[in-house]
Amino acid sequence: MFGKTFLVLYVIIQTAMSILTEYVIEKNRFYKGIGKKTRVLRIIIYAFLALVPVLGTFLPKCNFKYFCMGFGNIWLGFFMYYSGLVIFVTIITHIICKVRKDEEQRALGQAFNVAFVVALLVFAYGLIHAQNPKIVNYDISIDKTTESVKELKVVLIADLHLSVNSDVRATEKMVEEVNSVDPDVIVIAGDIFTSNYAGLKNPEKYSSALSQMKAKYGVYAVCGNHDVDENLFSGFPVSPVSEAFRTKEMEQFFKASGFTVLYDENVEIANGEIVLSGRVDGEKAGDGTSKRMSAKELLSEVDKTKPVLVLQHEPIEFKELAENGADVVFCGHTHNGQVFPGNLVVPFFNENAYGVKNLYGIDTIVTAGVGYYGPPIRVGTDSEVTVVNISFK
């Protein structure tokens, strides 16, 4: 299981970084006087910070668990850049000092100072940047005839990831952005939660804000792989799918937010002229399984003479959907990598990792999402509200 593998890797990296940091502090002339006096305090603080995310994962449900989850995500956001920069500057400093025959210990201490400051600045930027969604526009056309609806403005949002690090002001800002474009229909491509409901403070404030989204033909949603109750470590599950269930509180939240949730269902919108199909998530169906209808089963009864829009969480099975009559597929899940260099990596694992791409004769649209999982930051990517203007014959 990836979550447990990541946990082991985390322990190894934390140990290595603590040893390396202590080595540099002891050898740095600036810290020489106070280094020995503060060693025990440093080790205690560092051990606590390293332990917090683990406590957030494995403690039973309580307020302290949710504090550890939230604070642990913040710590991980800083640590991921700090550790990466430390490894980078250590290698570069070693090479430069070997070439110049300089004193490596002093140069390494200075490089660590730079790595710490840069990591702090990048993290602060990512924290602020993640709270400010932008509007992204795409124009596509479907080669099918409709009687009265010649254009359809679809707002696609996904990956709200409401949880311990959420800020209701960001949700309210997102709703303002959505309503500002006057959408015909709003579709939500899953991961409304981050694998728990109890950790979200004042959930009624979020549902109240989300219920203010307005669209001519309504607000439709599907669930994602995190719309279940399970334990996560830095966004990755440490429990099997068989223990991942959607809770009644989540379902009630969807209703209070004004969402029509589609569970392998087809509905007709725009006066019955357009079909919208919503798929259950193929990783976690919410009932302890990964069972969902195949593309063929879901679309078998659909009138293919009408435009067929498919809403699903993960950007997969595009070929099967195309072969069974889909015209457009809306997805989320990838976050466009969320943090650099993740945005450079996700394209290698997805046919369409972000944006609009025509595959197998259909348009596939993947949004970067408006939230975040794990560390509450975005670096190199944007939180976004995606507007898709669809024209028909």
Side-chain angles (χ1 to χ4, degrees), residues 243-313:
E243 298 177 9
F245 289 86
R246 194 150 29 255
T247 65
K248 291 181 179 179
E249 290 83 2
M250 290 178 178
E251 300 283 4
Q252 291 167 354
F253 182 93
F254 299 153
K255 185 176 180 180
S257 299
F259 303 163
T260 298
V261 183
L262 302 176
Y263 298 103
D264 282 340
E265 296 175 81
N266 303 301
V267 295
E268 293 185 344
I269 62 172
N271 306 316
E273 296 184 43
I274 298 169
V275 176
L276 175 63
S277 299
R279 303 192 74 189
V280 168
D281 183 65
E283 185 179 341
K284 292 170 187 170
D287 59 358
T289 74
S290 299
K291 296 178 181 178
R292 70 169 174 184
M293 286 186 180
S294 66
K296 183 177 181 179
E297 290 172 324
L298 178 62
L299 300 178
S300 61
E301 302 300 322
V302 166
D303 183 353
K304 307 299 195 309
T305 64
K306 298 178 180 180
V308 179
L309 316 181
V310 176
L311 177 63
Q312 63 180 18
H313 179 58

Side-chain angles (χ1 to χ4, degrees), residues 179-204:
N179 288 338
S180 71
V181 302
D182 192 23
D184 293 318
V185 64
I186 298 169
V187 294
I188 305 172
D191 275 4
I192 296 159
F193 294 101
T194 307
S195 299
N196 75 85
Y197 177 86
L200 181 65
K201 292 182 179 180
N202 303 312
E204 66 281 353

Side-chain angles (χ1 to χ4, degrees), residues 17 56 65 93 157 202 215 233 271 336 361 366:
M17 286 299 105
K65 173 187 177 72
T93 301
I157 58 176
N202 303 312
F233 180 76
N271 306 316
N336 191 23
V366 182

Side-chain angles (χ1 to χ4, degrees), residues 1 29 35 95 107 112 127 141 262 264 316 327 349 372:
M1 192 175 300
R29 293 176 183 177
I95 294 172
F112 263 60
L127 196 65
S141 61
L262 302 176
D264 282 340
I316 58 175
D327 295 299
F349 298 95
Y372 37 76

Side-chain angles (χ1 to χ4, degrees), residues 118-195:
V118 171
L120 196 60
L121 291 174
V122 170
F123 170 72
Y125 161 78
L127 196 65
I128 296 169
H129 183 60
Q131 307 300 320
N132 296 282
K134 60 180 287 189
I135 295 176
V136 176
N137 285 276
Y138 299 116
D139 297 315
I140 63 173
S141 61
I142 295 178
D143 191 24
K144 287 184 177 179
T145 302
T146 52
E147 293 182 12
S148 61
V149 181
K150 299 306 177 185
E151 294 181 338
L152 186 75
K153 183 181 290 185
V154 181
V155 164
L156 167 65
I157 58 176
D159 302 290
L160 283 72
H161 282 285
L162 302 178
S163 188
V164 291
N165 293 110
S166 297
D167 186 340
V168 71
R169 291 172 296 182
T171 300
E172 291 169 345
K173 188 180 295 185
M174 179 205 74
V175 171
E176 290 177 3
E177 296 282 11
V178 169
N179 288 338
S180 71
V181 302
D182 192 23
D184 293 318
V185 64
I186 298 169
V187 294
I188 305 172
D191 275 4
I192 296 159
F193 294 101
T194 307
S195 299

